[in-house]
PDB file of all heavy atoms in Angstrom:
ATOM      1  N   GLU A 274      -6.529   7.777   1.500  1.00 98.00           N
ATOM      2  CA  GLU A 274      -5.564   7.241   2.470  1.00 98.00           C
ATOM      3  C   GLU A 274      -4.655   6.213   1.809  1.00 98.00           C
ATOM      4  O   GLU A 274      -3.446   6.204   2.036  1.00 98.00           O
ATOM      5  CB  GLU A 274      -6.295   6.609   3.651  1.00 98.00           C
ATOM      6  CG  GLU A 274      -6.972   7.605   4.555  1.00 98.00           C
ATOM      7  CD  GLU A 274      -7.874   6.958   5.581  1.00 98.00           C
ATOM      8  OE1 GLU A 274      -8.495   5.899   5.283  1.00 98.00           O
ATOM      9  OE2 GLU A 274      -7.973   7.511   6.683  1.00 98.00           O
ATOM     10  N   ALA A 275      -5.239   5.347   0.987  1.00 98.00           N
ATOM     11  CA  ALA A 275      -4.442   4.325   0.299  1.00 98.00           C
ATOM     12  C   ALA A 275      -3.432   4.978  -0.637  1.00 98.00           C
ATOM     13  O   ALA A 275      -2.257   4.601  -0.652  1.00 98.00           O
ATOM     14  CB  ALA A 275      -5.358   3.373  -0.472  1.00 98.00           C
ATOM     15  N   TRP A 276      -3.852   5.956  -1.408  1.00 97.00           N
ATOM     16  CA  TRP A 276      -2.962   6.635  -2.347  1.00 97.00           C
ATOM     17  C   TRP A 276      -1.842   7.352  -1.594  1.00 97.00           C
ATOM     18  O   TRP A 276      -0.681   7.299  -1.968  1.00 97.00           O
ATOM     19  CB  TRP A 276      -3.757   7.593  -3.226  1.00 97.00           C
ATOM     20  CG  TRP A 276      -2.921   8.380  -4.194  1.00 97.00           C
ATOM     21  CD1 TRP A 276      -2.880   9.736  -4.319  1.00 97.00           C
ATOM     22  CD2 TRP A 276      -2.006   7.882  -5.178  1.00 97.00           C
ATOM     23  NE1 TRP A 276      -1.999  10.105  -5.303  1.00 97.00           N
ATOM     24  CE2 TRP A 276      -1.445   8.979  -5.850  1.00 97.00           C
ATOM     25  CE3 TRP A 276      -1.590   6.606  -5.542  1.00 97.00           C
ATOM     26  CZ2 TRP A 276      -0.499   8.847  -6.864  1.00 97.00           C
ATOM     27  CZ3 TRP A 276      -0.644   6.473  -6.562  1.00 97.00           C
ATOM     28  CH2 TRP A 276      -0.117   7.582  -7.201  1.00 97.00           C
ATOM     29  N   ARG A 277      -2.170   8.002  -0.495  1.00 97.00           N
ATOM     30  CA  ARG A 277      -1.151   8.678   0.310  1.00 97.00           C
ATOM     31  C   ARG A 277      -0.160   7.657   0.877  1.00 97.00           C
ATOM     32  O   ARG A 277       1.046   7.869   0.857  1.00 97.00           O
ATOM     33  CB  ARG A 277      -1.787   9.494   1.428  1.00 97.00           C
ATOM     34  CG  ARG A 277      -0.746  10.261   2.238  1.00 97.00           C
ATOM     35  CD  ARG A 277      -1.359  11.275   3.175  1.00 97.00           C
ATOM     36  NE  ARG A 277      -0.320  11.961   3.905  1.00 97.00           N
ATOM     37  CZ  ARG A 277       0.332  13.026   3.464  1.00 97.00           C
ATOM     38  NH1 ARG A 277       0.030  13.547   2.286  1.00 97.00           N
ATOM     39  NH2 ARG A 277       1.284  13.581   4.191  1.00 97.00           N
ATOM     40  N   LEU A 278      -0.667   6.540   1.385  1.00 96.00           N
ATOM     41  CA  LEU A 278       0.216   5.499   1.914  1.00 96.00           C
ATOM     42  C   LEU A 278       1.221   5.054   0.857  1.00 96.00           C
ATOM     43  O   LEU A 278       2.417   4.960   1.126  1.00 96.00           O
ATOM     44  CB  LEU A 278      -0.590   4.289   2.393  1.00 96.00           C
ATOM     45  CG  LEU A 278       0.273   3.077   2.765  1.00 96.00           C
ATOM     46  CD1 LEU A 278       1.062   3.343   4.041  1.00 96.00           C
ATOM     47  CD2 LEU A 278      -0.573   1.827   2.872  1.00 96.00           C
ATOM     48  N   PHE A 279       0.755   4.786  -0.349  1.00 95.00           N
ATOM     49  CA  PHE A 279       1.654   4.322  -1.405  1.00 95.00           C
ATOM     50  C   PHE A 279       2.721   5.368  -1.739  1.00 95.00           C
ATOM     51  O   PHE A 279       3.874   5.033  -1.973  1.00 95.00           O
ATOM     52  CB  PHE A 279       0.868   3.933  -2.658  1.00 95.00           C
ATOM     53  CG  PHE A 279      -0.009   2.721  -2.470  1.00 95.00           C
ATOM     54  CD1 PHE A 279      -1.253   2.663  -3.062  1.00 95.00           C
ATOM     55  CD2 PHE A 279       0.406   1.640  -1.704  1.00 95.00           C
ATOM     56  CE1 PHE A 279      -2.073   1.552  -2.905  1.00 95.00           C
ATOM     57  CE2 PHE A 279      -0.397   0.520  -1.534  1.00 95.00           C
ATOM     58  CZ  PHE A 279      -1.647   0.477  -2.134  1.00 95.00           C
ATOM     59  N   ARG A 280       2.349   6.634  -1.750  1.00 95.00           N
ATOM     60  CA  ARG A 280       3.337   7.690  -2.019  1.00 95.00           C
ATOM     61  C   ARG A 280       4.329   7.816  -0.872  1.00 95.00           C
ATOM     62  O   ARG A 280       5.520   8.066  -1.101  1.00 95.00           O
ATOM     63  CB  ARG A 280       2.641   9.023  -2.284  1.00 95.00           C
ATOM     64  CG  ARG A 280       1.928   9.032  -3.643  1.00 95.00           C
ATOM     65  CD  ARG A 280       1.189  10.327  -3.913  1.00 95.00           C
ATOM     66  NE  ARG A 280       0.021  10.403  -3.035  1.00 95.00           N
ATOM     67  CZ  ARG A 280      -0.348  11.487  -2.369  1.00 95.00           C
ATOM     68  NH1 ARG A 280       0.335  12.611  -2.459  1.00 95.00           N
ATOM     69  NH2 ARG A 280      -1.427  11.470  -1.609  1.00 95.00           N
ATOM     70  N   ILE A 281       3.866   7.623   0.354  1.00 93.00           N
ATOM     71  CA  ILE A 281       4.772   7.644   1.504  1.00 93.00           C
ATOM     72  C   ILE A 281       5.761   6.493   1.404  1.00 93.00           C
ATOM     73  O   ILE A 281       6.964   6.675   1.587  1.00 93.00           O
ATOM     74  CB  ILE A 281       3.973   7.574   2.824  1.00 93.00           C
ATOM     75  CG1 ILE A 281       3.243   8.892   3.061  1.00 93.00           C
ATOM     76  CG2 ILE A 281       4.890   7.249   4.007  1.00 93.00           C
ATOM     77  CD1 ILE A 281       2.216   8.837   4.179  1.00 93.00           C
ATOM     78  N   VAL A 282       5.262   5.308   1.126  1.00 91.00           N
ATOM     79  CA  VAL A 282       6.145   4.146   1.005  1.00 91.00           C
ATOM     80  C   VAL A 282       7.167   4.359  -0.105  1.00 91.00           C
ATOM     81  O   VAL A 282       8.343   4.053   0.055  1.00 91.00           O
ATOM     82  CB  VAL A 282       5.336   2.839   0.760  1.00 91.00           C
ATOM     83  CG1 VAL A 282       6.253   1.691   0.386  1.00 91.00           C
ATOM     84  CG2 VAL A 282       4.517   2.502   1.999  1.00 91.00           C
ATOM     85  N   GLU A 283       6.734   4.924  -1.230  1.00 88.00           N
ATOM     86  CA  GLU A 283       7.646   5.141  -2.344  1.00 88.00           C
ATOM     87  C   GLU A 283       8.788   6.076  -1.963  1.00 88.00           C
ATOM     88  O   GLU A 283       9.933   5.846  -2.332  1.00 88.00           O
ATOM     89  CB  GLU A 283       6.902   5.705  -3.554  1.00 88.00           C
ATOM     90  CG  GLU A 283       7.833   5.923  -4.742  1.00 88.00           C
ATOM     91  CD  GLU A 283       7.130   6.425  -5.974  1.00 88.00           C
ATOM     92  OE1 GLU A 283       6.450   7.485  -5.884  1.00 88.00           O
ATOM     93  OE2 GLU A 283       7.255   5.782  -7.018  1.00 88.00           O
ATOM     94  N   CYS A 284       8.509   7.110  -1.204  1.00 85.00           N
ATOM     95  CA  CYS A 284       9.572   8.085  -0.928  1.00 85.00           C
ATOM     96  C   CYS A 284      10.251   7.897   0.421  1.00 85.00           C
ATOM     97  O   CYS A 284      11.328   8.431   0.639  1.00 85.00           O
ATOM     98  CB  CYS A 284       9.043   9.519  -1.063  1.00 85.00           C
ATOM     99  SG  CYS A 284       8.000  10.092   0.274  1.00 85.00           S
ATOM    100  N   ASP A 285       9.653   7.128   1.333  1.00 77.00           N
ATOM    101  CA  ASP A 285      10.224   6.997   2.682  1.00 77.00           C
ATOM    102  C   ASP A 285      10.766   5.611   3.003  1.00 77.00           C
ATOM    103  O   ASP A 285      11.106   5.351   4.146  1.00 77.00           O
ATOM    104  CB  ASP A 285       9.178   7.358   3.749  1.00 77.00           C
ATOM    105  CG  ASP A 285       8.905   8.846   3.789  1.00 77.00           C
ATOM    106  OD1 ASP A 285       9.694   9.612   3.244  1.00 77.00           O
ATOM    107  OD2 ASP A 285       7.883   9.227   4.384  1.00 77.00           O
ATOM    108  N   SER A 286      10.805   4.723   2.054  1.00 69.00           N
ATOM    109  CA  SER A 286      11.327   3.397   2.327  1.00 69.00           C
ATOM    110  C   SER A 286      12.622   3.192   1.554  1.00 69.00           C
ATOM    111  O   SER A 286      12.934   3.912   0.618  1.00 69.00           O
ATOM    112  CB  SER A 286      10.306   2.320   1.955  1.00 69.00           C
ATOM    113  OG  SER A 286      10.022   2.365   0.587  1.00 69.00           O
TER     114      SER A 286
END
Side-chain angles (χ1 to χ4, degrees):
E274 289 171 327
W276 178 235
R277 183 169 180 86
L278 171 70
F279 293 142
R280 289 178 289 136
I281 289 168
V282 170
E283 181 178 56
C284 75
D285 288 344
S286 62

